[in-house]
Amino acid sequence: MQLTGPIDAGGWQWDGHRWISGRSWIEPFKHSAIEHVMVITPDSRQSCLIVREAATGREPVTTVRRVMSSPGYRRQIEEAGAWPLHAVRVEMAAGHAVRITCGERGVAPLYLRPANGKLTVSWDMLDLTPEADDLDSREVAAMLAYRTRYSTATVFRTIRQLTERSTASWDHTSGLRVDHPVPALHSRPRTLHADADPVAAFSDLLRREITARPLSVDGCAVELSGGMDSAMTALALAETVGPVRTAALTLDGDSGDQQCRRRREIRTRMGLGPDLTVPVSEFGPFHPAGSRARGRPTSPLDGTYSEAMNELYSRLSSAGARWVFTGVGGDELCFQRPEERVLTGDPWNVHPVPGHLGLRARDTLRHIENGLAPASVLHASTLIALAVHSATAMRHGLWPISPLATPLVLRLGESLPLTWRRRKRLMRLRLERAGCSPEVVDPPLPENFAATCEAAMLRNGLPLLSQWLPESILVRQGLLDSVALSTECATVATTGCGASELYRPLAMEAVLRSLAVPRALTP
């Protein structure tokens, strides 16, 4: 979306691709999962563009421009505010600021950049042409220190994020303001009735979440790594949609062999469809043929395994997938409260602040708690993960759906006693009831990408960081300590250990370098 100058609320016209009014335009994401309607009321000179997920049992939008009376207009706004799935509203009224409002689900969050009497908005931060010298030191420091924040701020000073349930107001003279909602309330663990069946309730909520959308079996794919979270999503899809396609990044070694066996059993037992896999070691972080190593425009929101995920999503899209289901939100569903960890002794796993941070970064960390968004309906860590998955999937024409990252499912998880959440007992019992083997329910070997990241950073990342370090943008900004980082690189090169600790400074440096190079000249 690009808004320029005063906005004529009633002047919006659809050209088959965009809504246009003068020099302003709004382009809804083109996907069969998404519908949009522009509601206009001539008597009060108001208009509202509603962009939302299509919902089962709701009349689909067939007329994209509706002229209505004021009472009808208000009913449309109320319906959009209560829409059961993801929805965004852009409200315009003569003589008032444009208002952009989003819901609580956090899918495809919007980023906003006001400049020179113009507002540019997109779900892809790269559309806003961020600049390498426009850094917000606190946000960059938080990212480098593994203290990622959920707020309207981003790593770029002039780019804001529209956080969940917030409203952005913009006028070409007064600029941009973001208004936060009241903090969301959360449940505490409860005592279950003797006849309570949390597994059945959990299964039912997942099925309801999936069937809330009109889906086709041939257009759906599920990321099935073999872990608890993705298995829950895959099982619910098999029960509701049918033999959908599966996909995964696969591991090497003994863990990879175990992953292969577990995925094969899950797919066979659940009657799932064709499978597509990408060996993560062949597309590891910063491999020479990847976009980051080649200096192509990179977003700070791109994930650690963006090279591999882009390859996976590209293949899924080519195979005809249009919806991609994930297990995002599963960890937060079964999280332990701090006081519960005291009782269980389970570690909190807080990453120590790296020693290679610069003085400016260390100084800003003292204010890390300032300016955060109010408590969200979903956990902040879930919303951050959704932002990463959404942008990557949507660049490939896929609409991401994460059934575990939904308000009602989270409410159930929060309400369960600790014994049901610890070690994801709720999910393990779900797999047991589905008839899965002990290796699927409780695998003996860990399955994660830690070894892949370490090997890739040692092979590809360390040489690249060593090459860039003498002219590092982050060092020049005081956010990295050149001496400390050089020493750490030398230690990693000598010992062959700790290479993954260099990932975040290298990833952020790659982002800034990719933005500093004119895009027309980027290979």
Side-chain angles (χ1 to χ4, degrees):
M1 173 166 61
Q2 183 172 288
L3 305 179
T4 304
I7 303 301
D8 179 3
W12 293 96
Q13 299 295 328
W14 177 246
D15 71 352
H17 180 60
R18 290 176 168 178
W19 288 99
I20 298 175
S21 178
R23 292 182 296 157
S24 299
W25 55 265
I26 308 174
E27 182 180 326
F29 182 62
K30 187 175 182 181
H31 195 283
S32 53
I34 305 300
E35 60 184 20
H36 61 93
V37 60
M38 178 73 77
V39 185
I40 296 174
T41 161
D43 51 345
S44 59
R45 299 178 64 194
Q46 291 178 291
S47 64
C48 179
L49 175 64
I50 302 166
V51 184
R52 64 197 182 196
E53 278 190 276
T56 302
R58 303 295 184 105
E59 182 181 353
V61 171
T62 55
T63 304
V64 296
R65 191 176 192 270
R66 296 176 182 170
V67 180
M68 310 186 75
S69 64
S70 292
Y73 177 84
R74 287 192 295 270
R75 285 194 297 271
Q76 289 286 311
I77 299 297
E78 291 171 0
E79 180 186 75
W83 196 251
L85 300 175
H86 189 57
V88 174
R89 303 194 309 273
V90 183
E91 299 175 68
M92 295 156 280
H96 293 80
V98 176
R99 290 164 47 88
I100 308 169
T101 305
C102 66
E104 60 194 12
R105 287 177 171 252
V107 183
L110 297 177
Y111 303 94
L112 312 95
R113 185 176 190 179
N116 304 318
K118 179 174 68 176
L119 178 68
T120 309
V121 183
S122 180
W123 52 265
D124 189 343
M125 193 179 288
L126 290 177
D127 288 339
L128 308 187
T129 58
E131 300 168 4
D133 58 356
D134 183 37
L135 294 183
D136 184 314
S137 58
R138 181 174 62 183
E139 300 304 314
V140 176
M143 186 275 291
L144 294 173
Y146 298 86
R147 303 294 189 273
T148 306
R149 296 156 35 88
Y150 185 66
S151 74
T152 59
T154 73
V155 297
F156 301 106
R157 288 177 299 177
T158 58
I159 297 178
R160 308 284 296 280
Q161 178 183 190
L162 187 62
T163 51
E164 59 94 47
R165 296 178 298 135
S166 293
T167 296
S169 302
W170 176 84
D171 180 82
H172 73 289
T173 56
S174 58
L176 177 68
R177 186 185 77 245
V178 178
D179 295 317
H180 291 299
V182 297
L185 299 177
H186 285 262
S187 297
R188 296 191 64 84
R190 305 178 184 183
T191 301
L192 297 180
H193 289 290
D195 59 349
D197 189 344
V199 175
F202 175 53
S203 303
D204 181 61
L205 283 177
L206 290 183
R207 288 191 291 263
R208 285 166 53 187
E209 175 63 28
I210 291 172
T211 56
R213 304 165 175 84
L215 302 167
S216 64
V217 64
D218 57 328
C220 289
V222 57
E223 292 180 33
L224 179 63
S225 67
M228 291 294 112
D229 306 339
S230 65
M232 295 301 100
T233 301
L235 179 52
L237 274 167
E239 293 172 337
T240 53
V241 180
V244 302
R245 159 184 332 271
T246 58
L249 302 182
T250 54
L251 301 166
D252 292 334
D254 292 341
S255 292
D257 293 339
Q258 175 185 271
Q259 179 194 26
C260 181
R261 290 192 302 272
R262 296 175 70 248
R263 292 187 72 252
R264 186 187 307 116
E265 179 182 332
I266 292 171
R267 292 181 58 254
T268 300
R269 186 167 295 279
M270 298 179 187
L272 294 167
D275 191 34
L276 190 158
T277 59
V278 169
V280 69
S281 60
E282 295 181 14
F283 299 90
F286 295 98
H287 75 85
S291 59
R292 290 189 287 189
R294 297 175 63 184
R296 291 179 175 171
T298 302
S299 169
L301 297 171
D302 290 347
T304 305
Y305 305 98
S306 63
E307 289 90 347
M309 288 304 301
N310 277 307
E311 180 66 21
L312 184 69
Y313 284 164
S314 175
R315 295 186 189 182
L316 277 178
S317 182
S318 297
R322 291 297 173 262
W323 294 268
V324 59
F325 285 78
T326 82
V328 171
D331 290 339
E332 290 82 356
L333 175 66
C334 293
F335 86 114
Q336 292 185 43
R337 298 171 178 274
E339 64 270 20
E340 292 173 334
R341 290 185 180 275
V342 172
L343 295 175
T344 62
D346 293 339
W348 188 246
N349 294 329
V350 177
H351 198 287
V353 175
H356 51 243
L357 295 190
L359 291 177
R360 184 181 176 195
R362 292 184 178 280
D363 184 60
T364 60
L365 288 180
R366 295 184 297 172
H367 311 287
I368 198 72
E369 301 296 330
N370 297 345
L372 295 175
S376 49
V377 174
L378 300 177
H379 288 287
S381 55
T382 300
L383 295 169
I384 292 168
L386 288 173
V388 172
H389 276 74
S390 297
T392 306
M394 291 169 70
R395 289 182 193 133
H396 293 279
L398 302 169
W399 181 249
I401 302 174
S402 303
L404 298 175
T406 54
L408 284 180
V409 174
L410 176 61
R411 179 66 60 88
L412 171 67
E414 290 177 332
S415 302
L416 292 177
L418 173 61
T419 54
W420 284 91
R421 286 178 280 117
R422 193 180 185 196
R423 296 194 69 247
K424 299 188 177 181
R425 180 185 173 215
L426 175 70
M427 300 183 185
R428 296 182 193 280
L429 288 178
R430 175 85 168 105
L431 289 177
E432 282 186 3
R433 290 191 185 182
C436 293
S437 69
E439 185 178 48
V440 170
V441 174
D442 195 2
L445 298 177
E447 295 175 6
N448 57 56
F449 297 133
T452 299
C453 183
E454 180 72 11
M457 285 300 300
L458 189 62
R459 181 175 58 253
N460 304 320
L462 177 61
L464 197 57
L465 182 58
S466 300
Q467 174 188 335
W468 287 350
L469 195 51
E471 297 180 352
S472 167
I473 298 173
L474 291 169
V475 169
R476 194 164 62 243
Q477 295 270 4
L479 297 167
L480 288 177
D481 184 311
S482 178
V483 174
L485 193 53
S486 296
T487 301
E488 189 172 350
C489 287
T491 301
V492 170
T494 301
T495 63
C497 299
S500 58
E501 290 297 309
L502 303 174
Y503 171 78
R504 291 208 174 191
L506 177 59
M508 193 63 209
E509 186 73 26
V511 168
L512 301 181
R513 286 174 172 263
S514 77
L515 301 177
V517 176
R519 296 195 180 192
L521 302 179
T522 302

